[in-house]
Amino acid sequence: MIYFIIPLLAAVVLYFLVFKKDAPKRFTDQPQWHEPLLTHVSFYKKLNDQEQKVFRQRMSGFLNETYVDAVGFELEELDKLLVAASAVIPVFRFKEWSYNNLSGVIIYPENFNENLGYADHHSDRMISGLVGTGRFEKQMILSRTALYQGFKNDTDKLNTSIHEFVHLLDKIDGQTNGLPEAFLDKSYILPWMNLMHQEMEAINNDKSDIRSYAATNQAEFFAVTSEYFFSRPQLMKRKHPELYKMLELCFNPQLKKIV
C-alpha cells in the first residue's frame, strides 16, 4: 500500500509545483462591491449578472497584484474600487490579463504639476494622470478629482484613469506609440494608422467631436478615443463607425473581423 501512496503524493506535489502555477488564476468574488459599482460605473451596470460577477473577480485579482496608495489624504474603499474598475474595463473582454508593467497606483487629491506637487495651481501645466518612467517606472499617478469625474460624467467622453490604463496596454510591446500591435491583427495596423491620421487631421481642422488632446500624438489619440469608446460607445458608433469598429476589434479579441 505504501508503494502506491508515495507515487500518488509525488504526482499531487508535481501538479501544484508545475502545472498549477501556470493555471488561470481564480479570485474570490466580492459581492459587497455590487452596489457601489452599480452606482458609479455605467460599464458595470450594463453587464448581466454572470458578467458582473466576473468583473468583480477581475477587480479582486487586480487589487491582489497591485497596490493602491494615497498622498495627502486617507484612502477610501471607493478610491480603490474605481481604480480597479478602470483597470478591468479595457481588458474585460480579454480571456485573462495582468498588468505586468504596473506595480502600483498612487492617488493625489487633485491635479498635480510636473514635479508631482499638487499645491501649485499657478503651474503652466497641471496633470490629471500619468504613467511613470525612470524612477517612477511601473507606477501610475492619478488625480482623485479626475478619477471620480471620469465616472461621474459619461457625457463628456472623458475618463482619465481608463486613459492611463490604455497607455499601459499600448506600452506592452515596449513602445507607447498608439499602435496596438499586441491586440490587433497585423493586417489591421495600416488601416488603423490611416484612420488615425485622418481623424487627427479632422480634429486639427475643428471637424471632429473628439477632444483636441487626441491630436497631440498617436499615443494620445489611442488613449483619448478609447475613453470615448468606453464612455459613449453608442455615440461613437454613430459618429465614428470605422473608428468604433477598429476599437471594438482591439478590445474584444473574440471578434475575428470588422463587420
Side-chain angles (χ1 to χ4, degrees):
M1 186 68 176
I2 188 69
Y3 297 105
F4 171 76
I5 294 175
I6 291 176
L8 179 61
L9 289 175
V12 171
V13 170
L14 181 65
Y15 172 76
F16 279 98
L17 289 180
V18 179
F19 300 104
K20 192 66 175 178
K21 178 181 63 176
D22 298 324
K25 296 178 182 177
R26 296 289 181 261
F27 294 99
T28 306
D29 181 22
Q30 302 291 340
Q32 73 274 15
W33 293 348
H34 178 68
E35 288 303 324
L37 288 172
L38 277 183
T39 301
H40 296 280
V41 183
S42 59
F43 181 94
Y44 176 86
K45 190 174 182 178
K46 296 172 185 176
L47 302 176
N48 62 40
D49 291 347
Q50 179 57 33
E51 289 173 330
Q52 288 177 346
K53 179 179 180 180
V54 172
F55 192 94
R56 296 191 302 267
Q57 289 173 325
R58 299 282 291 274
M59 285 176 57
S60 178
F62 173 81
L63 292 173
N64 185 65
E65 297 172 344
T66 313
Y67 73 83
V68 180
D69 207 349
V71 172
F73 69 96
E74 187 173 342
L75 193 70
E76 296 180 2
E77 180 77 356
L78 185 57
D79 301 326
K80 294 193 292 184
L81 295 188
L82 293 184
V83 169
S86 305
V88 172
I89 287 171
V91 299
F92 181 66
R93 299 299 175 186
F94 295 5
K95 185 176 180 181
E96 192 168 348
W97 185 263
S98 292
Y99 287 94
N100 295 325
N101 53 358
L102 179 72
S103 60
V105 178
I106 302 171
I107 307 177
Y108 275 56
E110 52 190 276
N111 291 1
F112 45 90
N113 59 33
E114 293 180 351
N115 296 318
L116 301 184
Y118 55 89
D120 181 9
H121 295 281
H122 302 291
S123 172
D124 291 336
R125 179 170 181 254
M126 297 302 288
I127 304 167
S128 58
L130 62 82
V131 177
T133 57
R135 65 190 179 99
F136 294 107
E137 186 70 27
K138 292 194 173 185
Q139 305 292 312
M140 180 184 293
I141 305 175
L142 291 173
S143 156
R144 191 189 197 201
T145 300
L147 173 65
Y148 277 74
Q149 183 64 27
F151 289 99
K152 183 179 180 180
N153 184 4
D154 284 333
T155 62
D156 61 7
K157 300 166 289 197
L158 190 152
N159 189 304
T160 297
S161 49
I162 288 178
H163 179 112
E164 298 306 326
F165 278 103
V166 170
H167 276 322
L168 288 178
L169 296 181
D170 188 6
K171 197 177 180 181
I172 285 298
D173 61 1
Q175 300 182 75
T176 310
N177 57 8
L179 301 179
E181 296 175 281
F183 311 104
L184 277 179
D185 187 271
K186 290 183 179 179
S187 62
Y188 291 116
I189 295 300
L190 183 57
W192 166 257
M193 289 182 67
N194 292 334
L195 183 60
M196 177 166 51
H197 288 289
Q198 289 171 16
E199 197 62 50
M200 289 171 77
E201 184 176 354
I203 293 168
N204 285 327
N205 292 329
D206 294 324
K207 295 181 179 179
S208 176
D209 69 328
I210 298 172
R211 64 187 176 100
S212 60
Y213 192 54
T216 304
N217 56 52
Q218 292 184 170
E220 297 304 342
F221 181 87
F222 181 38
V224 169
T225 55
S226 297
E227 294 178 71
Y228 193 155
F229 177 81
F230 288 111
S231 297
R232 299 292 303 277
Q234 294 307 312
L235 182 63
M236 174 176 268
K237 189 174 184 178
R238 178 165 56 85
K239 290 200 168 190
H240 307 277
E242 291 183 66
L243 183 57
Y244 174 87
K245 288 175 182 177
M246 195 68 80
L247 289 171
E248 186 178 38
L249 186 68
C250 179
F251 292 116
N252 190 349
Q254 297 176 24
L255 298 176
K256 300 299 181 183
K257 60 180 180 179
I258 298 179
V259 294

